[in-house]
Amino acid sequence: DTGVSQNPRHKITKRGQNVTFRCDPISEHNRLYWYRQTLGQGPEFLTYFQNEAQLEKSRLLSDRFSAERPKGSFSTLEIQRTEQGDSAMYLCASSLTGASRGEQFFGPGTRLTVL
Amino acid sequence: GNSVTQMEGPVTLSEEAFLTINCTYTATGYPSLFWYVQYPGEGLQLLLKATKADDKGSNKGFEATYRKETTSFHLEKGSVQVSDSAVYFCARLRDDKIIFGKGTRLHILP
């Protein structure tokens, strides 16, 4: 399977703990995006990378959130001191600059539950 | 505010019925427009797209036409199937990011 993969698929944690998610994009894609989807809502943009450079961060991304893409391939999203309001589906997507006018390919998501 | 507005669900139809899910957008210029679908237990999949005014995107019997006059991108299907039951998201591209509507849950009854 050469699509976008995310790990873990599910994560249950206690409030105050740190969690880290991983995303592996489609191999030739230079852009990687993180979105968050809460119940009954559409996904909301969090941040994105072009190669290893983080180009934009949403206001939704508080100081407790950090994302990296150190070698321009996979990316990690870390949430420190988790809160119950962080419970959501975290989606990763990738794309190729200039191809298909913005089409992004999504992974299956990591569902986070903070108790 | 949200620059993509779609009709609220859930929408419940009988098999073989005609489907319309309305979507309107606000934008300067002519952004790419998309419909994504999320089947139960699965990730988001691109259903169709249109990149300029008057384009028609189509896939799996679904169609949507980019209407700049009405800033709309309504999703239609002539005859729905039980397997079309899913959540449908209208979306637009803005500054390299995808802006999604809230989604419309569709139930198709056999």
Side-chain angles (χ1 to χ4, degrees), chain A residues 9 31 33 35 37 40-43 45 48 56 91 100-104 106-108, chain B residues 30 32 34 36 38 41 43-44 46 49 51 89 93 95-98 100-103:
Chain A
R9 295 290 304 275
R31 286 192 171 175
Y33 303 79
Y35 293 82
Q37 185 179 15
Q41 301 294 316
F45 168 78
Y48 86 102
E56 186 173 347
L91 298 171
S100 301
R101 291 293 300 276
E103 181 175 345
Q104 297 178 15
F106 283 80
Chain B
Y30 304 108
S32 294
F34 309 93
Y36 278 84
Q38 195 168 35
L44 274 172
L46 179 67
K49 67 180 181 184
T51 59
F89 294 93
L93 191 68
D95 300 330
D96 299 322
K97 305 178 291 291
I98 294 182
F100 289 89
K102 291 188 176 182

Side-chain angles (χ1 to χ4, degrees), chain A residues 10-114:
Chain A
H10 303 273
K11 178 70 177 178
I12 300 174
T13 191
K14 293 182 179 179
R15 190 174 52 188
Q17 298 295 304
N18 299 343
V19 294
T20 300
F21 310 141
R22 176 177 169 129
C23 170
D24 287 87
I26 294 171
S27 59
E28 63 269 25
H29 284 184
N30 59 341
R31 286 192 171 175
L32 186 149
Y33 303 79
W34 286 99
Y35 293 82
R36 181 172 67 188
Q37 185 179 15
T38 53
L39 200 61
Q41 301 294 316
E44 295 175 294
F45 168 78
L46 293 178
T47 188
Y48 86 102
F49 295 83
Q50 180 160 304
N51 301 313
E52 66 275 9
Q54 189 172 18
L55 296 188
E56 186 173 347
K57 293 192 292 186
S58 162
R59 289 173 297 173
L60 293 176
L61 214 64
S62 76
D63 291 344
R64 296 183 298 104
F65 288 69
S66 62
E68 295 182 343
R69 193 183 185 200
K71 297 181 180 179
S73 56
F74 73 91
S75 174
T76 57
L77 177 67
E78 181 183 17
I79 309 174
Q80 297 182 324
R81 305 181 302 281
T82 52
E83 301 173 356
Q84 288 185 326
D86 298 331
S87 295
M89 178 75 85
Y90 290 84
L91 298 171
C92 176
S94 70
S95 71
L96 192 59
T97 310
S100 301
R101 291 293 300 276
E103 181 175 345
Q104 297 178 15
F105 296 82
F106 283 80
T110 295
R111 182 170 296 284
L112 172 66
T113 302
V114 182

Side-chain angles (χ1 to χ4, degrees), chain B residues 4 10 26 42 47 50 67 74 79 81 83-85 89 101:
Chain B
V4 178
T26 56
E42 298 185 17
L47 180 61
R67 303 275 188 207
H74 305 322
S79 176
Q81 306 300 311
S83 58
D84 294 326
S85 298
F89 294 93

Side-chain angles (χ1 to χ4, degrees), chain B residues 37-79:
Chain B
V37 59
Q38 195 168 35
Y39 297 104
E42 298 185 17
L44 274 172
Q45 301 175 27
L46 179 67
L47 180 61
L48 54 84
K49 67 180 181 184
T51 59
K52 60 182 186 297
D54 300 324
D55 264 3
K56 178 184 284 187
S58 61
N59 186 26
K60 299 182 180 180
F62 290 89
E63 292 183 340
T65 301
Y66 193 140
R67 303 275 188 207
K68 64 179 180 180
E69 303 85 3
T70 53
T71 61
S72 66
F73 193 54
H74 305 322
L75 183 68
E76 296 182 336
K77 186 173 185 180
S79 176

